[in-house]
Amino acid sequence: MADVSQGTDTSTDVDTEEKNQRFDMVLSTGNSSDRSKDKPGDQKTLRRLAQNREAARKSRLRKKAYVQQLESSRLKLTQLEQELQRARQQGIFISSSGDHTHSMSGNGALAFDAEYSRWLEEHNKQINELRAAVNSHAGDTELRTIVDNVTTHYDDIFRLKGTAAKADVFHILSGMWKTPAERCFLWIGGFRSSELLKLLVNQLEPLTEQQLLAIYNLQQSSQQAEDALSQGMEALQQSLAETLASASPSPSGNSGNVANYMGQMAMAMGKLGTLEGFLRQADNLRQQTLQQMHKILTTRQSARALLTIHDYFSRLRALSSLWLARPRE
């Protein structure tokens, strides 16, 4: 039994030693593998891969946010169209025919916005027809008819604005019925005729010397009229501020203070009433400029001018849509 026990102990020691040797080999192999991973080149590759994965993750998040904003803008547009449709069904929009003055019941701002939307939709159809006629080299008679239709359609928006101003002149002057980019260039509820003429001259070449002189004179007269209207608006604002500043602090119980306060506010209201006149004069200037431009240019030049004006404002509206839908981090 002693011999057996001694043999067993020897066998156990040998097995244990072999296991330890194998364990050391595994550790040595593992350490060697770890050392190979610690090479500078491998570390740079791992960092670059991690950075690429993070950049890709952020790009996916930005793309997802951009898509969500586009979807949100589309839903808002759909909601606005539905509201306009309900407004039409409720009869609070301006009738497309007949006397517009008596149709401005209810919410004047909403009514004008709905009617302006209709006007813009019809205007786009006429411009598409005009563009097709120009591209197909239509005859002068056909082209003149389309140009006259577009010009007459501009008269409609000036008439609509005049009617809407009687209900809410501040809405028209503020330009809230236009896109944000268009409002950047707003002047007394619309565009500056002189600036528009400057844009057209470079787009309508070649022009004769007589045409250039006529457009230059029209641009100068428009500029002078705009300056006069701007000075009138500044004087009105100054006068209105002085009237409000000199009024009594508040209508107290004293009958004298109440009468003074009401008198001052009535005077301020009277001055505000002249805003409608400034808007009407500005629109008359715009209307006359378009008519004079039509007389100076040939039929085909007038067609190109109308297309240029449309494309300019169309790009402003597109710029507003892109700005509102831009991704925000």
Side-chain angles (χ1 to χ4, degrees):
M1 291 178 62
D3 292 341
V4 172
S5 174
Q6 184 177 1
T8 303
D9 292 339
T10 301
S11 175
T12 302
D13 292 339
V14 172
D15 294 339
T16 302
E17 184 177 355
E18 290 177 354
K19 291 179 179 179
N20 290 336
Q21 289 176 353
R22 288 196 298 271
F23 183 72
D24 291 339
M25 290 176 64
V26 171
L27 288 178
S28 177
T29 302
N31 291 336
S32 177
S33 176
D34 291 340
R35 283 193 298 271
S36 65
K37 292 181 180 179
D38 291 336
K39 292 181 180 180
D42 293 339
Q43 290 297 324
K44 290 181 179 179
T45 301
L46 291 175
R47 284 197 300 269
R48 187 163 56 251
L49 291 174
Q51 291 173 354
N52 291 341
R53 286 194 296 269
E54 180 65 16
R57 185 183 69 84
K58 291 182 178 180
S59 178
R60 288 193 297 270
L61 290 176
R62 286 195 296 268
K63 182 178 180 181
K64 182 179 180 181
Y66 180 63
V67 171
Q68 289 176 346
Q69 288 180 355
L70 287 178
E71 180 65 17
S72 177
S73 299
R74 187 186 67 81
L75 293 176
K76 290 180 180 178
L77 180 59
T78 302
Q79 183 180 4
L80 178 59
E81 291 175 347
Q82 292 174 351
E83 291 177 356
L84 292 177
Q85 183 63 27
R86 285 196 297 269
R88 292 191 179 99
Q89 293 174 354
Q90 294 171 1
I92 62 174
F93 66 108
I94 308 175
S95 174
S96 59
S97 61
D99 186 4
H100 297 273
T101 305
H102 302 292
S103 303
M104 287 295 293
S105 58
N107 190 328
L110 181 60
F112 174 76
D113 290 351
E115 194 64 13
Y116 174 70
S117 179
R118 285 187 65 259
W119 179 90
L120 191 59
E121 182 180 355
E122 179 62 26
H123 178 69
N124 290 334
K125 292 179 181 178
Q126 292 184 357
I127 289 295
N128 290 336
E129 183 182 3
L130 178 62
R131 196 185 305 277
V134 171
N135 293 336
S136 64
H137 305 286
D140 287 347
T141 302
E142 178 184 355
L143 194 60
R144 186 180 301 107
T145 300
I146 301 175
V147 168
D148 290 342
N149 290 338
V150 176
T151 304
T152 302
H153 194 59
Y154 270 112
D155 295 338
D156 292 339
I157 191 58
F158 295 132
R159 183 169 59 254
L160 290 173
K161 288 173 63 179
T163 302
K166 297 181 184 298
D168 190 350
V169 67
F170 291 108
H171 181 69
I172 305 300
L173 289 174
S174 67
M176 294 307 295
W177 45 286
K178 285 185 170 292
T179 58
E182 288 178 290
R183 290 199 294 271
C184 286
F185 302 93
L186 198 69
W187 172 79
I188 311 187
F191 59 86
R192 285 182 176 268
S193 302
S194 60
E195 295 298 327
L196 206 59
L197 289 171
K198 291 179 182 179
L199 296 175
L200 290 177
V201 169
N202 297 327
Q203 299 294 328
L204 298 179
E205 296 179 350
L207 295 170
T208 65
E209 292 184 2
Q210 185 177 1
Q211 287 177 321
L212 284 172
L213 180 60
I215 292 178
Y216 175 77
N217 291 334
L218 180 60
Q219 191 269 333
Q220 290 296 310
S221 61
S222 297
Q223 181 70 60
Q224 293 173 1
E226 290 166 3
D227 291 343
L229 286 174
S230 296
Q231 293 174 4
M233 284 289 289
E234 292 176 1
L236 173 62
Q237 293 173 351
Q238 181 65 30
S239 175
L240 182 62
E242 293 174 354
T243 300
L244 294 176
S246 62
S248 301
S250 61
S252 60
N254 187 290
S255 59
N257 289 338
V258 172
N260 181 60
Y261 176 83
M262 295 304 295
Q264 295 288 349
M265 296 307 291
M267 186 181 300
M269 287 289 292
K271 293 181 179 181
L272 279 182
T274 60
L275 286 175
E276 185 182 334
F278 279 106
L279 176 63
R280 184 172 58 255
Q281 293 180 62
D283 275 347
N284 286 339
L285 175 61
R286 285 183 275 264
Q287 189 175 16
Q288 291 174 9
T289 301
L290 289 174
Q291 292 172 353
Q292 290 297 320
M293 181 192 71
H294 185 47
K295 293 179 180 179
I296 295 171
L297 302 176
T298 66
T299 300
R300 295 196 177 275
Q301 289 173 337
S302 295
R304 288 165 51 197
L306 291 173
L307 291 176
T308 300
I309 294 172
H310 168 80
D311 291 343
Y312 173 73
F313 288 110
S314 179
R315 292 186 188 109
L316 281 179
R317 289 189 290 269
L319 183 62
S320 293
S321 299
L322 292 174
W323 174 256
L324 294 175
R326 73 190 186 282
R328 299 176 177 84
E329 297 184 3

Short mmCIF file of all heavy atoms in Angstrom, two decimals, residues 299-321:
data_model
loop_
_atom_site.label_atom_id
_atom_site.label_comp_id
_atom_site.label_asym_id
_atom_site.label_seq_id
_atom_site.Cartn_x
_atom_site.Cartn_y
_atom_site.Cartn_z
N THR A 299 -43.97 92.66 -77.33
CA THR A 299 -44.78 91.60 -76.76
C THR A 299 -43.91 90.48 -76.19
O THR A 299 -44.14 90.00 -75.08
CB THR A 299 -45.73 91.01 -77.82
OG1 THR A 299 -46.59 92.06 -78.30
CG2 THR A 299 -46.58 89.89 -77.24
N ARG A 300 -42.90 90.08 -76.93
CA ARG A 300 -42.04 88.99 -76.46
C ARG A 300 -41.16 89.45 -75.30
O ARG A 300 -40.89 88.67 -74.37
CB ARG A 300 -41.17 88.47 -77.61
CG ARG A 300 -41.98 87.84 -78.70
CD ARG A 300 -41.16 86.98 -79.66
NE ARG A 300 -42.08 86.36 -80.63
CZ ARG A 300 -42.72 85.24 -80.42
NH1 ARG A 300 -42.56 84.60 -79.27
NH2 ARG A 300 -43.54 84.74 -81.33
N GLN A 301 -40.74 90.69 -75.30
CA GLN A 301 -39.99 91.20 -74.16
C GLN A 301 -40.88 91.29 -72.92
O GLN A 301 -40.43 91.00 -71.81
CB GLN A 301 -39.40 92.57 -74.50
CG GLN A 301 -38.25 92.52 -75.49
CD GLN A 301 -37.82 93.91 -75.93
OE1 GLN A 301 -38.59 94.88 -75.86
NE2 GLN A 301 -36.58 94.02 -76.40
N SER A 302 -42.12 91.68 -73.10
CA SER A 302 -43.06 91.73 -71.98
C SER A 302 -43.29 90.33 -71.41
O SER A 302 -43.38 90.15 -70.18
CB SER A 302 -44.39 92.33 -72.44
OG SER A 302 -44.25 93.68 -72.80
N ALA A 303 -43.37 89.34 -72.30
CA ALA A 303 -43.54 87.96 -71.84
C ALA A 303 -42.35 87.52 -71.01
O ALA A 303 -42.50 86.93 -69.94
CB ALA A 303 -43.73 87.03 -73.04
N ARG A 304 -41.15 87.83 -71.50
CA ARG A 304 -39.95 87.48 -70.75
C ARG A 304 -39.88 88.22 -69.42
O ARG A 304 -39.44 87.68 -68.40
CB ARG A 304 -38.71 87.77 -71.59
CG ARG A 304 -38.51 86.80 -72.76
CD ARG A 304 -37.51 87.32 -73.76
NE ARG A 304 -36.27 87.73 -73.12
CZ ARG A 304 -35.35 88.51 -73.69
NH1 ARG A 304 -35.57 88.98 -74.92
NH2 ARG A 304 -34.25 88.82 -73.06
N ALA A 305 -40.32 89.48 -69.41
CA ALA A 305 -40.32 90.26 -68.17
C ALA A 305 -41.27 89.66 -67.13
O ALA A 305 -40.93 89.54 -65.95
CB ALA A 305 -40.71 91.71 -68.47
N LEU A 306 -42.45 89.27 -67.57
CA LEU A 306 -43.42 88.65 -66.65
C LEU A 306 -42.90 87.33 -66.11
O LEU A 306 -43.10 87.00 -64.93
CB LEU A 306 -44.75 88.45 -67.36
CG LEU A 306 -45.53 89.74 -67.70
CD1 LEU A 306 -46.74 89.43 -68.56
CD2 LEU A 306 -45.95 90.48 -66.43
N LEU A 307 -42.23 86.55 -66.95
CA LEU A 307 -41.64 85.29 -66.50
C LEU A 307 -40.52 85.54 -65.50
O LEU A 307 -40.39 84.82 -64.50
CB LEU A 307 -41.11 84.49 -67.69
CG LEU A 307 -42.15 83.92 -68.65
CD1 LEU A 307 -41.46 83.25 -69.84
CD2 LEU A 307 -43.07 82.94 -67.95
N THR A 308 -39.74 86.58 -65.74
CA THR A 308 -38.64 86.91 -64.82
C THR A 308 -39.18 87.34 -63.46
O THR A 308 -38.66 86.94 -62.41
CB THR A 308 -37.78 88.04 -65.41
OG1 THR A 308 -37.22 87.60 -66.66
CG2 THR A 308 -36.64 88.41 -64.48
N ILE A 309 -40.22 88.17 -63.46
CA ILE A 309 -40.83 88.61 -62.20
C ILE A 309 -41.38 87.41 -61.43
O ILE A 309 -41.17 87.28 -60.21
CB ILE A 309 -41.94 89.63 -62.48
CG1 ILE A 309 -41.35 90.91 -63.07
CG2 ILE A 309 -42.72 89.96 -61.21
CD1 ILE A 309 -42.38 91.91 -63.54
N HIS A 310 -42.08 86.54 -62.15
CA HIS A 310 -42.64 85.36 -61.49
C HIS A 310 -41.54 84.47 -60.91
O HIS A 310 -41.65 84.01 -59.77
CB HIS A 310 -43.48 84.56 -62.49
CG HIS A 310 -43.85 83.19 -61.99
ND1 HIS A 310 -44.89 82.97 -61.12
CD2 HIS A 310 -43.30 81.97 -62.23
CE1 HIS A 310 -44.98 81.70 -60.83
NE2 HIS A 310 -44.03 81.06 -61.49
N ASP A 311 -40.50 84.22 -61.68
CA ASP A 311 -39.43 83.34 -61.21
C ASP A 311 -38.73 83.92 -59.99
O ASP A 311 -38.33 83.19 -59.07
CB ASP A 311 -38.41 83.11 -62.33
CG ASP A 311 -38.99 82.27 -63.47
OD1 ASP A 311 -40.02 81.62 -63.25
OD2 ASP A 311 -38.40 82.29 -64.57
N TYR A 312 -38.58 85.24 -59.96
CA TYR A 312 -37.93 85.89 -58.82
C TYR A 312 -38.72 85.65 -57.53
O TYR A 312 -38.16 85.20 -56.51
CB TYR A 312 -37.80 87.38 -59.10
CG TYR A 312 -37.30 88.18 -57.92
CD1 TYR A 312 -35.98 88.10 -57.51
CD2 TYR A 312 -38.16 89.02 -57.20
CE1 TYR A 312 -35.51 88.83 -56.43
CE2 TYR A 312 -37.70 89.75 -56.12
CZ TYR A 312 -36.38 89.65 -55.74
OH TYR A 312 -35.94 90.37 -54.67
N PHE A 313 -40.02 85.91 -57.56
CA PHE A 313 -40.83 85.72 -56.35
C PHE A 313 -41.02 84.24 -56.04
O PHE A 313 -41.15 83.86 -54.87
CB PHE A 313 -42.18 86.42 -56.51
CG PHE A 313 -42.10 87.91 -56.45
CD1 PHE A 313 -42.30 88.68 -57.58
CD2 PHE A 313 -41.79 88.56 -55.26
CE1 PHE A 313 -42.21 90.06 -57.54
CE2 PHE A 313 -41.69 89.94 -55.20
CZ PHE A 313 -41.90 90.70 -56.34
N SER A 314 -41.03 83.40 -57.07
CA SER A 314 -41.14 81.97 -56.84
C SER A 314 -39.90 81.45 -56.10
O SER A 314 -40.01 80.61 -55.20
CB SER A 314 -41.31 81.24 -58.17
OG SER A 314 -41.38 79.84 -57.97
N ARG A 315 -38.74 81.96 -56.45
CA ARG A 315 -37.51 81.55 -55.77
C ARG A 315 -37.49 82.04 -54.32
O ARG A 315 -36.98 81.36 -53.43
CB ARG A 315 -36.29 82.07 -56.52
CG ARG A 315 -36.09 81.42 -57.89
CD ARG A 315 -34.79 81.85 -58.53
NE ARG A 315 -34.71 81.35 -59.90
CZ ARG A 315 -34.80 82.12 -60.98
NH1 ARG A 315 -34.97 83.42 -60.84
NH2 ARG A 315 -34.71 81.60 -62.19
N LEU A 316 -38.05 83.23 -54.09
CA LEU A 316 -38.14 83.72 -52.71
C LEU A 316 -39.03 82.79 -51.87
O LEU A 316 -38.71 82.48 -50.72
CB LEU A 316 -38.69 85.14 -52.69
CG LEU A 316 -37.73 86.27 -53.04
CD1 LEU A 316 -38.45 87.61 -53.00
CD2 LEU A 316 -36.54 86.29 -52.09
N ARG A 317 -40.15 82.35 -52.46
CA ARG A 317 -41.04 81.44 -51.72
C ARG A 317 -40.36 80.09 -51.49
O ARG A 317 -40.50 79.50 -50.41
CB ARG A 317 -42.35 81.26 -52.49
CG ARG A 317 -43.24 82.49 -52.47
CD ARG A 317 -44.62 82.19 -53.05
NE ARG A 317 -44.57 81.97 -54.48
CZ ARG A 317 -44.71 82.92 -55.39
NH1 ARG A 317 -44.88 84.18 -55.01
NH2 ARG A 317 -44.67 82.64 -56.68
N ALA A 318 -39.62 79.60 -52.48
CA ALA A 318 -38.90 78.34 -52.31
C ALA A 318 -37.81 78.48 -51.25
O ALA A 318 -37.59 77.56 -50.45
CB ALA A 318 -38.29 77.91 -53.65
N LEU A 319 -37.15 79.63 -51.23
CA LEU A 319 -36.12 79.88 -50.22
C LEU A 319 -36.71 79.85 -48.82
O LEU A 319 -36.11 79.31 -47.88
CB LEU A 319 -35.45 81.22 -50.49
CG LEU A 319 -34.30 81.61 -49.56
CD1 LEU A 319 -33.15 80.62 -49.67
CD2 LEU A 319 -33.81 83.02 -49.88
N SER A 320 -37.90 80.40 -48.66
CA SER A 320 -38.57 80.38 -47.36
C SER A 320 -38.87 78.95 -46.93
O SER A 320 -38.67 78.57 -45.77
CB SER A 320 -39.86 81.19 -47.42
OG SER A 320 -39.59 82.56 -47.62
N SER A 321 -39.36 78.13 -47.87
CA SER A 321 -39.68 76.73 -47.54
C SER A 321 -38.43 75.97 -47.13
O SER A 321 -38.44 75.20 -46.16
CB SER A 321 -40.34 76.05 -48.74
OG SER A 321 -41.55 76.71 -49.09
#
